Amino acid sequence: MTKVTLIPGDGIGPEITEATLKCVEAAGANIQWEKMLAGSTALEKYGTPLPDETVNSFRETRVLLKGPITTSFGTGFRSVTVALRQTFDLYANVRPAKSIEGVESRFKNVNLVIIRENTEGAYAGIEFQKGSPELKELITLLKRTHNITLDENTAISLKKISVHASQRIVKFAFDYAAQNNRKKVTCVHKANIQKFSDGLFLEEARKIAQSYPDIIYDEKVVDNMAMQLVMKPEEYDVIVTPNLYGDILSDLAAGLVGGLGLLAGANIGSEYAMFEPVHGSAPKYTGLNKVNPTAMINAAVMMLKHLKMFHEAELLEKATLKVIREGVQVTYDLYKKPVGSPVGTMAMADEIVRQIELLKNEGE
Ligand code: NAD
């Protein structure tokens, strides 16, 4: 039996997790879940949003399925998700966005993968609070080194891009393209303005691209990329980009194929891997048994493939796609029939379980 750490998260996290576990079990995956706390629930019990027990469990199992965790804006603890990515050096965030039959969306032929650098960039957590002594020192330094005058009613966040992190993420993107029969890698940046940081990322991307002559290499400035994606997304294949641009573009890509309730992401490092839905904790829907479990189920599909449980992954994926294609036993965001009404989270999961059983019987 394979041990996997499970963080249901908060908000809608526990309900989509319950729905997902039901489906994973039906698919026959032999998994022993180690259920752990993180976020506000952990803060209440242990006084920290990321307790040692949770970290140690992931360190031992090396695989984590994680629901969404609420992070308050501006104040409160820093993001647990970001902390996990940094603690375990989960440097590659892989977010596929593919059109799904039965989902109403503006485009029908999207099939792209965003590979986002996950450990640095604007998420490095190097921040200077307004009025702090550290900010005063930085202001003095900037005056001396750059002749820039800043007043103390300022806050500063630094963006960090290193050669090492840029090289490994671009290499990851090309290897991913090669292994998944993808034809093109587009490097997305803003090197025309952020000449040193994004300039470095772009320079390393160009060097790495030379080692992959069979894959087309292409570059786009991030603002242009946003426009291109909403006009002709079918022209893009694998996109590799620094942290913040990747975060924004992957939500945009989710919108292209029908919304946040569908997509999942893998956070991959050299030793550890974490799988999660792209969406957040949608607090207004907490406990209503209303939201779509698909993104969390897709996170489980990616996890099963990582664990080489290909048969179980295929059953789960096929059954979920069938339920969505039929469009009857689906949640409010997917329901488009003129009559009848959508079902709740658990009823959609029950229908996926039923389809898994049918697929199993067909295979016998
Ligand atoms: P969100 O993704 O939680 O929700 C935005 C909207 O998307 C919802 O109001 C809902 O209309 C829709 N939506 C999201 N998930 C859905 C689902 N499964 N089914 C149907 N519709 C769905 O984004 P937000 O409101 O900006 O963030 C809420 C909280 O989640 C914040 O605290 C944020 O920091 C956190 N967050 C966490 C993660 C993570 O844990 N990886 C990721 C993103 C946001």
Side-chain angles (χ1 to χ4, degrees), residues 12 16 66-73 81 85 260-261 276-285 291-292 332-333:
I12 58 169
I16 55 172
K66 188 188 82 58
I69 297 172
T70 307
T71 308
S72 54
F73 293 100
T81 307
R85 289 172 185 157
L260 281 174
E276 58 180 346
V278 166
H279 64 72
S281 57
K284 69 178 178 193
Y285 291 112
V291 295
N292 189 349
Y332 76 97
D333 53 319

Side-chain angles (χ1 to χ4, degrees), residues 28 45 79 84 90 167 183 203 245 264-265 281 283 285 324 328:
K45 188 166 174 199
S79 163
L84 283 165
L90 306 171
Q167 282 178 345
K183 306 279 175 275
E203 195 182 321
Y245 310 146
S281 57
Y285 291 112
I324 294 174
V328 181

Side-chain angles (χ1 to χ4, degrees), residues 6-17:
L6 174 73
I7 299 178
D10 54 38
I12 58 169
E15 42 202 294
I16 55 172
T17 300

Side-chain angles (χ1 to χ4, degrees), residues 25 54 98 100 104 112-114 121 123 152 201 242 296 335:
E25 194 179 320
T54 303
K98 190 172 178 201
I100 300 174
E104 232 175 58
L112 52 89
V113 180
I114 296 182
Y123 285 66
E152 285 179 19
F201 189 87
M296 188 71 173
Y335 196 84

